[in-house]
Amino acid sequence: MSRLRRSRLPARLDVTQTLSGVALALFIWGHTLFVSSILISKDAMWTVTRMFEGYFILGRPLPVLVSIAVAVVWALLLVHALLALRKFPASYRQYRAFREHRQAMRHADTHLWWWQVVTGFAMFFLASPHLYKMLTQPAAIGPYASGDDVWSGAWWPLYLLLAFSVQLHAGIGVYRAALKWGLPGGGDGARTRRRLRVLFGGITAVMLALGLLSLATYLRIGYEHRDRVGERYVPASVAAPEQP
Amino acid sequence: MNDAAADMPAETQPPRRLRISVLRYNPAEPERAPRLQTYELEEADGMTLFIALNEIREIQDPSLQFDFVCRAGICGSCAMVINGRPGLACRTLTTQLPTKIALAPLPVFELIGDLSVNTGKWMRAMSERVETWVHAQETAQGADLDRAEARMEPEQAEAIYELDRCIECGCCVAACGTARMREDFVGAVAINKLARFRLDPRDLRDDGDFYELIGDDDGVFGCMTLLGCDDVCPKDLPLMTQLAYMRRKMAAAGWRGADGAAATPD
Ligand code: SF4
Ligand code: SF4
Ligand code: FES
């Protein structure tokens, strides 16, 4: 008997959706840790920034490296968003059916998916300005530069909303990816699910706390630095002699 | 003494009065709009929703429609939405519920009337769509019925039996947000069935064949892991695990198919 072979595309799209999502979540967790270096000190944050600009390898800062990284992340985000968009309610009828279902079921994992939709949708608007800024002004990252942005540039409301949506989306997303594909040795489904919830709930809480504390710190730095906007931070250890 | 009632042993406490409201509609009488009708009755010992509904039908309202056959959680015909969640009426004790109980027919399935839905029609279509039967090698004369069946390891038979316990009640479908949004979604019940036939050594289908059946967004890739199915299945089938398992197998089959390696000669 001859059969029509079904397209292999759905399998690839599904795998790509998860892989791009997990990659983005790992990126965002790393991002949170690097940003929160400000909680240690201005010098620590300066060092992290310079590291990504290749300063310690090339001997001079090359902010275009940051731009390239931003471009890669943005591309990944676009792929992920396009793939995830397929799962959104595609019509008002579907939206209503899901809403009715969600409200009647009062079911945790169904609610969680809805939060994915809401935060994903929010990030569509919140992440783009941030990414555009980092892409076009990669040099404007640093203890003072970022503090100025947050306070004098009035970016903090956007960052505040972004922190919540991105951390929730990442935490819920990786939790759901683990359940979607299953973990090796996950015999007892209910127990696996409980443990994963604790694990990713914990990660999300820690990341969110770090993000918010960092934002508060940049706000304070920006406020104190409000009269000297534009001035860049230079650690005492690398003062005048090393300046180009 | 005021505490007297509280101190009384449980048996002597006055029985609760239940208020059961039923979403009523009969497609045969479209002129009567869907409406909520509330029945009151006294809770009895060990009362299930099956017992309560029968009492209502016998004493209060013979026109109330609902389905039962086995009243033991075997036939799957009494599934309905109980306070928002799908479940089997015959396996639900009223003591597990508050005194206000809201009942509605399962969504997704064709409504016959009141709480009665045609799950059979849906399940039949599902079975035909994903071919839920053993695809064995047939001889030129058809299946050889006289040949003794090959032996099966007990663990293997056990694993198949575990998944074979599905009673096709439809709860998993009604609890699935994906199925509610997209009517072509196969549902956890179908994916679990294919997981069952995949284990069966008598079924000669390989992953490429299963991919033909569920390898798309109406199939296993459509599942959004909302896990409503896993949480409501009255037979406690490991649906989450099976969905993840089939997703991995189907993703692998789809990915491999790129160079044609998985294409089986027909
Ligand atoms: S998988 Fe469970 S919920 Fe779904 S039809 Fe079978 S028994 Fe019912
Ligand atoms: S896990 Fe999949 S099949 Fe089960 S309720 Fe969710 S979307 Fe439906
Ligand atoms: S009556 Fe058969 S399952 Fe409830």
Side-chain angles (χ1 to χ4, degrees):
Chain A
M1 87 192 124
S2 92
R3 262 187 334 206
L4 209 134
R5 305 302 298 191
R6 201 182 267 268
S7 162
R8 306 286 149 174
L9 200 58
R12 295 178 186 180
L13 294 183
D14 200 56
V15 173
T16 310
Q17 185 181 342
T18 298
L19 287 184
S20 57
V22 170
L24 284 166
L26 292 177
F27 163 77
I28 215 65
W29 289 338
H31 178 292
T32 308
L33 292 180
F34 293 131
V35 162
S36 59
S37 56
I38 198 72
L39 296 175
I40 302 173
S41 69
K42 293 194 182 91
D43 279 2
M45 196 267 179
W46 181 90
T47 308
V48 168
T49 312
R50 282 290 185 261
M51 181 182 83
F52 284 113
E53 291 171 347
Y55 180 74
F56 298 112
I57 298 169
L58 307 171
R60 66 193 175 87
L62 204 60
V64 72
L65 292 179
V66 174
S67 292
I68 293 171
V70 172
V72 170
V73 169
W74 208 344
L76 211 54
L77 189 68
L78 211 67
V79 168
H80 183 69
L82 284 176
L83 291 175
L85 215 54
R86 302 174 307 152
K87 309 285 175 168
F88 279 33
S91 63
Y92 184 63
R93 193 197 62 77
Q94 288 190 358
Y95 166 75
R96 243 198 9 219
F98 190 83
R99 192 186 55 182
E100 190 187 293
H101 171 69
R102 185 172 71 95
Q103 288 168 352
M105 282 274 289
R106 290 163 287 115
H107 171 254
D109 285 275
T110 305
H111 284 307
L112 282 184
W113 181 77
W114 186 245
W115 278 108
Q116 290 278 104
V117 172
V118 172
T119 52
F121 195 67
M123 276 191 290
F124 195 75
F125 297 100
L126 299 173
S128 300
H130 173 59
L131 284 163
Y132 182 74
K133 182 169 190 310
M134 294 302 137
L135 186 74
T136 53
Q137 302 165 41
I141 306 173
Y144 285 161
S146 301
D148 289 344
D149 278 342
V150 166
W151 176 261
S152 302
W155 280 79
W156 65 265
L158 185 120
Y159 287 159
L160 188 63
L161 293 174
L162 193 53
F164 276 101
S165 35
V166 86
Q167 297 298 357
L168 284 177
H169 197 88
I172 299 174
V174 179
Y175 159 76
R176 287 177 18 83
L179 295 180
K180 193 179 238 180
W181 294 94
L183 292 176
D188 178 349
R191 199 190 52 206
T192 310
R193 206 158 14 140
R194 266 198 313 279
R195 289 187 179 167
L196 287 175
R197 272 192 204 173
V198 171
L199 176 64
F200 288 106
I203 293 180
T204 306
V206 169
M207 288 293 160
L208 194 56
L210 281 178
L212 294 178
L213 281 175
S214 308
L215 184 58
T217 310
Y218 288 113
L219 262 176
R220 200 201 66 228
I221 294 172
Y223 177 74
E224 289 165 0
H225 196 248
R226 66 192 180 284
D227 297 328
R228 285 171 289 140
V229 172
E231 179 205 40
R232 293 290 185 257
Y233 180 79
V234 182
S237 54
V238 276
E242 282 209 24
Q243 282 302 300
Chain B
M1 277 221 302
N2 272 346
D3 300 350
D7 287 343
M8 273 193 288
E11 314 90 71
T12 54
Q13 277 197 8
R16 300 195 301 168
R17 270 200 87 68
L18 303 176
R19 287 174 58 85
I20 301 186
S21 45
V22 178
L23 180 59
R24 300 201 63 186
Y25 179 65
N26 187 344
E29 300 170 18
E31 63 283 358
R32 296 200 68 191
R35 63 210 173 273
L36 273 181
Q37 188 163 346
T38 304
Y39 304 94
E40 282 200 31
L41 78 165
E42 206 157 88
E43 187 169 47
D45 267 352
M47 185 180 244
T48 61
L49 277 179
F50 157 75
I51 296 171
L53 284 170
N54 268 300
E55 194 180 309
I56 292 171
R57 184 153 68 183
E58 266 162 39
I59 299 170
Q60 304 187 27
D61 186 347
S63 74
L64 184 63
Q65 295 185 62
F66 55 88
D67 295 323
F68 287 96
V69 180
C70 71
R71 68 205 192 312
I74 298 166
C75 71
S77 48
C78 67
M80 56 185 68
V81 177
I82 304 159
N83 284 347
R85 284 199 184 197
L88 295 181
C90 73
R91 305 302 288 165
T92 306
L93 289 166
T94 52
T95 45
Q96 299 164 344
L97 299 168
T99 53
K100 278 190 175 175
I101 300 169
L103 301 179
L106 287 188
V108 181
F109 303 98
E110 181 186 291
L111 182 66
I112 295 171
D114 300 336
L115 299 173
S116 167
V117 292
N118 196 344
T119 44
K121 184 175 162 190
W122 193 98
M123 291 294 168
R124 163 123 206 158
M126 176 275 295
S127 289
E128 287 172 1
R129 176 172 165 193
V130 301
E131 306 179 10
T132 57
W133 54 86
V134 168
H135 288 47
Q137 191 88 61
E138 288 186 7
T139 62
Q141 301 81 34
D144 180 1
L145 297 176
D146 296 327
R147 199 181 50 212
E149 273 195 30
R151 291 181 64 83
M152 203 187 277
E153 290 304 318
E155 302 84 55
Q156 194 170 32
E158 198 53 50
I160 294 173
Y161 179 69
E162 166 75 1
L163 304 186
D164 217 18
R165 294 182 300 113
C166 170
I167 57 175
E168 303 194 357
C169 62
C171 287
C172 57
V173 178
C176 171
T178 308
R180 292 290 298 272
M181 284 200 286
R182 305 176 218 280
E183 56 188 45
D184 289 330
F185 180 56
V186 281
V189 54
I191 294 166
N192 174 68
K193 278 182 187 288
L194 287 192
R196 175 245 177 272
F197 286 105
R198 196 179 174 283
L199 286 181
D200 197 322
R202 294 163 300 181
D203 197 318
L204 300 177
R205 287 180 287 184
D206 61 13
D207 280 347
D209 298 313
F210 291 126
Y211 189 91
E212 294 297 317
L213 300 167
I214 53 166
D216 66 5
D217 284 298
D218 288 331
V220 74
F221 303 124
C223 163
M224 303 193 298
T225 323
L226 307 173
L227 301 177
C229 55
D230 193 285
D231 288 327
V232 302
C233 175
K235 304 309 278 185
D236 285 327
L237 289 175
L239 294 176
M240 178 179 94
T241 324
Q242 295 309 314
L243 286 164
Y245 181 73
M246 288 306 273
R247 191 177 213 116
R248 292 200 298 274
K249 294 298 169 200
M250 292 302 101
W255 207 271
R256 258 189 282 121
D259 46 21
T264 45
D266 285 326

